[in-house]
Amino acid sequence: MNTSLPRHAAILLAKASITGASEREMQELAGRTQAALGERFSMVIHAFSEQGSPSLREALDLLTAQKAEEITIVPLLLPMEPGFRSWITGAVQRWRRGANATQPLPAVHLSAPPGDSLAVDALVQDLLQQTPVAVDAPAATLPAGSAVPQQLRRVLVCQGGPCNHAGAAQVWGHLRNAQKRLDLRNAGEGMMSARTSCLGPCNLGPVVQVFPEGTWYGGVDEAGVDRIIASHLLGSQVVADLAYAPQPGKQMLR
């Protein structure tokens, strides 16, 4: 990092990565970008919105610790889903609310999406002029059966409208990052996660349900996800102050 420059940093934000090769590809892209734009950006790093490391929150924390004064987030998504822009805005707002207030926080900006740049046209044209790779090889024969997952626990994150408005997308992204970082598929009794349509108790959003107990959690944020992981998934202890027992009538967030 060139410390003689104004501390303007950038985050190249992709959706997800499930392999080390994908993360290395993003690291290399960030490195090339910083090498090309070092006169303007003192630090360029990558992040993932769903699964992969670092998460957007972790990247923001890292650049804040490096005393960045401005951060520009580059959404690497084509086409640019309107919901992704909203997700980034919500994630940054939630990060600000939970960030360490003892130090100044950098200004955060969002770049134009890739589709707004004419360079995308040149990129597509360049790719079409390169030697293509054959994909019409015979498909591998599928096995007669599939292994039934051994993981005991299932974590469902509601993606219904009220839950999404309350920040469920950020909760899902945080859970997926923690799942990979902590190897939760194999830790403890093992877990798998899934997004769902509306689970029902909309007043309690964001709603998370953990099986096999069927425990309902309401008002879950990123810190709540961390508590559920540490106590329930790894320690088999329900987080009582986040849990809601089934009742005949409607319930409100405590």
Side-chain angles (χ1 to χ4, degrees), residues 33-222:
T33 303
Q34 183 169 352
L37 300 178
E39 292 300 316
R40 181 178 176 189
F41 293 93
S42 57
M43 191 171 187
V44 180
I45 64 175
H46 74 281
F48 298 98
S49 64
E50 292 188 3
Q51 184 175 357
S53 182
S55 66
L56 178 57
R57 172 180 288 259
E58 291 168 338
L60 291 168
D61 284 341
L62 172 62
L63 294 178
T64 300
Q66 294 287 338
K67 302 189 183 306
E69 297 170 1
E70 294 183 64
I71 298 173
T72 297
I73 299 173
V74 183
L76 298 181
L77 186 67
L78 187 70
M80 179 67 169
E81 300 170 359
F84 195 41
R85 186 187 302 273
S86 299
W87 182 93
I88 295 171
T89 300
V92 172
Q93 292 173 345
R94 291 164 70 87
W95 168 74
R96 285 193 177 280
R97 290 197 295 268
N100 186 348
T102 62
Q103 59 181 323
L105 298 178
V108 180
H109 310 285
L110 183 63
S111 79
D116 286 2
S117 172
L118 293 178
V120 172
D121 298 348
L123 171 63
V124 172
Q125 294 165 25
D126 179 65
L127 293 174
L128 288 174
Q129 294 183 65
Q130 296 186 26
T131 303
V133 178
V135 295
D136 56 355
T141 302
L142 295 176
S146 297
V148 175
Q150 297 182 3
Q151 290 83 359
L152 174 66
R153 301 197 182 280
R154 299 291 184 273
V155 180
L156 306 183
V157 179
C158 179
Q159 301 284 288
C163 281
N164 279 336
H165 182 72
Q170 288 82 3
V171 168
W172 169 253
H174 189 73
L175 173 65
R176 294 289 288 181
N177 272 290
Q179 180 175 318
K180 182 175 183 180
R181 184 179 71 255
L182 302 175
D183 191 23
L184 295 179
R185 284 182 177 270
N186 300 306
E189 296 174 299
M191 64 85 73
M192 298 179 71
S193 57
R195 290 178 288 189
T196 75
S197 55
C198 181
L199 286 174
C202 299
N203 289 335
L204 306 183
V207 172
V208 173
Q209 192 172 23
V210 178
F211 288 93
E213 297 87 354
T215 304
W216 293 91
Y217 289 110
V220 179
D221 57 11
E222 292 89 339

